[in-house]
Each structure stands twice: as structure tokens, then as C-alpha cells.
Amino acid sequence: MQTIEIIGLIAAMLTTGAFVPQVYKVFKSKSTTDISLTMYTVLFIGLMLWLLYGIQKESFPIILANAITGLLVAAVIILKLKYK
Amino acid sequence: MQTIEIIGLIAAMLTTGAFVPQVYKVFKSKSTTDISLTMYTVLFIGLMLWLLYGIQKESFPIILANAITGLLVAAVIILKLKYK
């Protein structure tokens, strides 16, 4: 694997994994006042379009990264609606 | 332009633009308690690696999307550190 492909893979893991501590924080604190529902809603729609793009392009990394990020973002939305 | 490329373009605009309402919300409320600094820090590092990936691959959409998202995420980090 080329160095640049490894960088891309690490980039994908970080931009997906980044949402884990936010989900954990909200899950623990049950407080979501400062979190923008608009941000997470627009982000979710965008991620689902990326997923569609990945499926069409038959790109497994794009499909995987956006599916997982989509689940984490959906979790934030659900917690936001639950604890608003 | 193919339909799938237009979908990719809309996806990029949404996943980048999503951060605007979060920056605006924090800027207005000056409150960042519920926002995970870990999330935004990891996300920023990931976005900078995507930027590097885009530069290496000479992909203008990847460069542009990640540069703008990087600026917005950096703004959230600065506001988080300012109003903690």
C-alpha cells in the first residue's frame, strides 16, 4: 500500500472515530444544549449522499466510513431529541 | 456532469456546510459545555490528513471541502477553549 493511501486510511479512521467521544459525552451527561441539531441533521443527509456516492462508485472505504459516521451522527440526533 | 458526480458535490457541500450552524450557535451562546473537545481535535487532525491526501492526489474537491471544514472545526475549537 502506498504511503498516501495509508494517510487516507488514517484520515478516514480519524474523521469517523472523532464522533465517538461526542456520543459518549452526551450519553453520559444527558445534556445537549450546546449541540446544533441543524448541524447534525445536515451532516446526516450529507453522509447519506456520500454513502450513495460510495455505493455507485463501488468504493468500500467510502461506504464503510460514511455508514459508521452516519450511525454515530444519528446517535447524537436521537440523544439531542431525547434530552432537549 | 454525471448525476453521481452532482450527488457527490451536494454531499461535500452538506458535510462541510453542516458545521456553519454549530459555529454560529456557539458564537451566539458563548456556551460550549456539551461540545466534545476530543471530537473536534481528532476531527481536525483527520481533516488535515484528508487535505494532505487531496494535495497528493491533486483532487481539488477534496482539498477545498477539507480546507473549509478544517477552518470551521478550528473555529469551534477556538471558541471551546475561549468559553470553557
Side-chain angles (χ1 to χ4, degrees), chain A residues 4 7 15-16 22 28 33-35 39 54 61-62 82 84:
Chain A
I4 192 63
I7 289 172
T15 49
T16 294
Q22 182 67 74
K28 286 279 281 184
T33 315
D34 303 329
I35 287 169
M39 168 188 157
I62 295 178
K82 194 175 172 187
K84 70 174 175 183

Side-chain angles (χ1 to χ4, degrees), chain A residues 5 22 31 33-34 36 57, chain B residues 5 22 31 33-34 36 57:
Chain A
E5 294 306 329
Q22 182 67 74
S31 172
T33 315
D34 303 329
S36 165
K57 291 278 181 181
Chain B
E5 295 305 329
Q22 182 67 75
S31 173
T33 314
D34 303 329
S36 164
K57 291 276 183 182

Side-chain angles (χ1 to χ4, degrees), chain B residues 37-50:
Chain B
L37 183 61
T38 312
M39 168 189 156
Y40 280 87
T41 307
V42 174
L43 192 57
F44 185 78
I45 298 165
L47 290 166
M48 290 307 99
L49 290 182
W50 274 128

Side-chain angles (χ1 to χ4, degrees), chain A residues 46-56 62-64 66-67, chain B residues 11:
Chain A
L47 291 166
M48 291 306 100
L49 291 182
W50 273 127
L51 190 62
L52 197 68
Y53 183 87
I55 291 165
Q56 193 70 30
I62 295 178
I63 292 169
L64 189 69
N66 288 288

Side-chain angles (χ1 to χ4, degrees), chain A residues 14-78:
Chain A
L14 292 178
T15 49
T16 294
F19 290 89
V20 175
Q22 182 67 74
V23 172
Y24 180 76
K25 188 181 178 76
V26 170
F27 187 76
K28 286 279 281 184
S29 70
K30 296 180 173 46
S31 172
T32 62
T33 315
D34 303 329
I35 287 169
S36 165
L37 183 61
T38 312
M39 168 188 157
Y40 280 86
T41 307
V42 173
L43 192 56
F44 185 78
I45 298 165
L47 291 166
M48 291 306 100
L49 291 182
W50 273 127
L51 190 62
L52 197 68
Y53 183 87
I55 291 165
Q56 193 70 30
K57 291 278 181 181
E58 294 179 358
S59 164
F60 183 66
I62 295 178
I63 292 169
L64 189 69
N66 288 288
I68 296 171
T69 314
L71 285 174
L72 292 165
V73 166
V76 174
I77 293 171
I78 290 164

